[in-house]
């Protein structure tokens, strides 16, 4: 039997999805070395609708290179680098 994973809910004062994505990407870039944090599974939700989650990154497995770091539902093939206004 595996132990349950814990989720940290980190509220912000941001009022736009794009702003929240930029902060999530900055956290991933600055704390990516912390192996206890699974940034590939990052989702966002509105404060009063936390049961409705928006996935940020594609997260598809790449051949020997980790997971896709492009936005979820991206066009084209998966890749190890970000695209567009994530930053």
């Amino acid at each position: 039997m595996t132990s349950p994973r814990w989720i940290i809910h980190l509220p912000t004062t941001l009022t736009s999805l794009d702003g929240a994505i930029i902060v999530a990407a900055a956290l991933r870039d600055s704390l990516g070395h912390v192996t206890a944090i699974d940034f590939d599974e990052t989702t966002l939700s509105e404060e009063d609708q936390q049961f409705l989650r928006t996935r940020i990154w594609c997260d598809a497995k790449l051949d020997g290179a980790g997971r896709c770091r492009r936005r979820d539902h991206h066009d084209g093939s998966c890749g190890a680098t970000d695209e567009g206004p994530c930053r």
Side-chain angles (χ1 to χ4, degrees):
M1 182 170 147
T2 61
S3 298
R5 294 181 359 156
W6 290 90
I7 306 298
I8 298 172
H9 301 277
L10 183 65
T12 70
T13 58
L14 299 166
T15 58
S16 74
L17 177 61
D18 287 340
I21 290 170
I22 289 168
V23 168
L27 287 170
R28 180 185 67 180
D29 291 346
S30 65
L31 296 173
H33 66 282
V34 179
T35 58
I37 303 173
D38 186 359
F39 284 102
D40 296 331
E41 295 292 329
T42 301
T43 59
L44 300 172
S45 65
E46 290 184 30
E47 181 177 27
D48 294 331
Q49 297 187 37
Q50 294 183 28
F51 54 90
L52 295 175
R53 303 290 176 106
T54 300
R55 178 179 289 283
I56 300 177
W57 296 290
C58 170
D59 195 35
K61 289 184 179 180
L62 301 176
D63 294 333
R67 295 186 176 270
C68 180
R69 292 174 57 97
R70 297 181 71 190
R71 288 288 307 272
D72 197 31
H73 305 295
H74 61 80
D75 292 331
S77 60
C78 291
T81 58
D82 292 329
E83 65 179 21
C86 246
R87 299 203 173 261

